[in-house]
Amino acid sequence: MHPVHPIPIFEDNYVWAIEFGERHVAIVDPGLAQPVIDYLERHQLRLGAILITHGCWDHIGGIGDMLAYHRVPVYGPTHDRVPHLDHMLAEGDTITLGDLTLQVLDTPGHRKGHISFYGDDMLFCGDALFSAGCGKLHDGSYAQLYQSLNKIRCLPDKTQVYCAHEYTAANLTFATLVEPENKDLQRYAEQVYALRAAGKPTVPTTLGLECSINPFLRYQSATVKAAVEQWAGAQLGSDLEIVTALRKWKSSLA
Ligand code: FE
């Protein structure tokens, strides 16, 4: 397994530094450069590549300054607006960085061009999926969001999920509203509140855990379906309708 380091920036973003080869790192979504550069210097890590999941400012704002610090290849989505890209990626592409190989998955929804990187039992999913939640729609559609969640849900349970924000505690409020009786969720909430009280990250999470607590991956559960139908005041016939109503329900509370 490749060591992965969280570098907090802004209020609640994580930039991930994935080690490969001889203390090189691939930096995922550097929204800001200086904290990342400071981290690399403090830990004697060498910048080897920059990976971008999507074009929101808090994921790309530091690319230019990172390149001024050290010129490396920049990998990112074909179908989003990202500056400085050397390698335009989409589903089916693979990138190899020393001993690290990552597959590219299209995960549109939050943004229609959003991609994720998957390999070595790790998923770097930007704002496509969060612990106990998922990204809200910017320019993608509900159908894209549903298809992306379904794609992620089918990856192995042991997959470590490296999402780009520390939103877990806030997401748990909604997850608990949807499934107040879910014992796994209750247990997880206690762990999360303890971690946050100690100032520690709650991510990475695992896909197996998320499938037991995250309503956006549990649209086939009878309890989630019943709760969301009650909110919508209507019967929902398909998984897409359930995910759509869940996303609208959560956004209506924000
Ligand atoms: Fe973001």
Side-chain angles (χ1 to χ4, degrees):
M1 202 100 177
H2 294 258
V4 180
H5 312 265
I7 305 169
I9 60 166
F10 304 127
E11 288 279 285
D12 50 31
N13 283 67
Y14 291 120
V15 175
W16 297 108
I18 318 165
E19 281 195 44
F20 67 91
E22 286 294 307
R23 298 195 65 73
H24 282 73
V25 285
I27 293 294
V28 185
D29 288 351
L32 193 62
Q34 201 55 51
V36 179
I37 294 168
D38 291 346
Y39 187 93
L40 299 185
E41 305 227 310
R42 210 174 328 123
H43 294 85
Q44 295 179 316
L45 294 164
R46 283 196 285 175
L47 183 62
I50 294 172
L51 312 184
I52 303 295
T53 61
H54 66 289
C56 286
W57 67 273
D58 61 317
H59 298 250
I60 63 173
I63 301 173
D65 289 342
M66 295 291 302
L67 294 176
Y69 165 72
H70 189 52
R71 179 81 222 181
V72 293
V74 183
Y75 299 82
T78 303
H79 302 293
D80 204 345
R81 249 180 263 124
V82 176
H84 307 292
L85 277 195
D86 303 300
H87 300 272
M88 316 269 275
L89 305 173
E91 180 104 10
D93 288 333
T94 296
I95 63 177
T96 302
L97 303 164
D99 54 349
L100 173 68
T101 300
L102 296 168
Q103 294 173 38
V104 177
L105 305 177
D106 285 337
T107 48
H110 174 66
R111 302 266 292 198
K112 63 186 176 206
H114 194 295
I115 60 171
S116 296
F117 299 92
Y118 173 66
D120 197 25
D121 296 328
M122 305 181 291
L123 177 71
F124 296 89
C125 56
D127 290 358
L129 181 74
F130 299 121
S131 184
C134 73
K136 54 173 89 114
L137 298 188
H138 266 255
D139 62 4
S141 68
Y142 289 106
Q144 288 176 330
L145 176 67
Y146 162 66
Q147 282 159 13
S148 296
L149 292 170
N150 194 44
K151 186 185 290 180
I152 290 172
R153 202 173 65 100
C154 294
L155 296 173
D157 280 356
K158 64 182 175 182
T159 306
Q160 299 274 324
V161 180
Y162 293 87
C163 39
H165 287 272
E166 181 59 68
Y167 286 162
T168 315
N171 286 340
L172 283 170
T173 306
F174 178 70
T176 303
L177 184 65
V178 178
E179 284 194 290
E181 307 296 331
N182 181 333
K183 293 273 183 290
D184 292 332
L185 183 57
Q186 292 165 3
R187 221 171 296 126
Y188 182 55
E190 279 175 29
Q191 291 169 16
V192 165
Y193 299 141
L195 284 169
R196 294 312 293 152
K200 292 183 179 157
T202 64
V203 286
T205 175
T206 66
L207 204 51
L209 172 74
E210 291 303 314
C211 286
S212 73
I213 61 100
N214 188 330
F216 292 95
L217 297 178
R218 291 174 53 72
Y219 45 81
Q220 292 183 340
S221 129
T223 50
V224 171
K225 183 169 188 281
V228 77
E229 283 181 338
Q230 197 182 6
W231 175 80
Q235 291 215 319
L236 301 171
S238 67
D239 292 347
L240 168 59
E241 286 178 324
I242 294 168
V243 168
T244 300
L246 268 175
R247 189 57 263 181
K248 287 182 178 171
W249 183 7
K250 182 160 194 288
S251 296
S252 76
L253 301 173

